[in-house]
Amino acid sequence: QVRLVESGGGLVQAGGSLRLSCAASGRTLSNYAMGWFRQAPGKEREFVAAINWRLSTIYYLDSVKGRFTISRDNAKNTVHLQMNSLKPEDTAVYYCAASSYGDMRNGGYYDYWGQGTQVTVSS
């Protein structure tokens, strides 16, 4: 069993930055891809970014490319999402998740999920 805990959310003005962190416990994340997803009020959950275990493959949602950066530290069992140039449309609850197989961009392939952290971007 893997427990994921997100942190780093908050309220920021448009154009600002936040760094989300996700700490895993319970077992190593060996061979797990890690992803970030978000869900805004009244909207479906959407993929934001993902990175594989070997750090060789990274995906981003088109609307965050060039603004968000996903990274992971396998030794520390952590994954981060650096978010720059934030926009009001980035406002959502952000979830960290771990996947043992399948398309990293598809939430259906993720085995473990965190509780989420709120990100609010004011205009």
Side-chain angles (χ1 to χ4, degrees), residues 19-71:
R19 185 175 188 250
L20 304 185
S21 296
C22 175
S25 61
R27 61 177 293 177
T28 179
L29 293 176
S30 296
N31 296 319
Y32 279 85
M34 297 299 298
W36 287 96
F37 293 78
R38 67 187 182 187
Q39 187 167 20
K43 295 186 178 181
E44 293 187 354
R45 182 184 65 197
E46 68 175 351
F47 165 78
V48 176
I51 184 170
N52 68 345
W53 165 252
R54 298 183 183 279
L55 314 184
S56 58
T57 302
I58 294 176
Y59 295 113
Y60 291 103
L61 176 69
D62 284 347
S63 62
V64 308
K65 286 181 180 177
R67 300 189 298 121
F68 290 12
T69 302
I70 188 172
S71 62

Side-chain angles (χ1 to χ4, degrees), residues 39-123:
Q39 187 167 20
K43 295 186 178 181
E44 293 187 354
R45 182 184 65 197
E46 68 175 351
F47 165 78
V48 176
I51 184 170
N52 68 345
W53 165 252
R54 298 183 183 279
L55 314 184
S56 58
T57 302
I58 294 176
Y59 295 113
Y60 291 103
L61 176 69
D62 284 347
S63 62
V64 308
K65 286 181 180 177
R67 300 189 298 121
F68 290 12
T69 302
I70 188 172
S71 62
R72 65 187 292 172
D73 185 331
N74 291 333
K76 295 182 178 179
N77 253 11
T78 58
V79 63
H80 305 281
L81 185 68
Q82 178 66 44
M83 306 186 296
N84 299 328
S85 302
L86 282 161
K87 303 176 181 180
E89 51 264 44
D90 294 319
T91 295
V93 177
Y94 283 70
Y95 298 90
C96 169
S99 171
S100 58
Y101 78 106
D103 185 351
M104 294 192 293
R105 295 160 292 188
N106 185 334
Y109 287 107
Y110 282 75
D111 308 286
Y112 303 103
W113 293 82
Q115 292 300 305
T117 185
Q118 176 71 47
V119 171
T120 303
V121 184
S122 64
S123 57

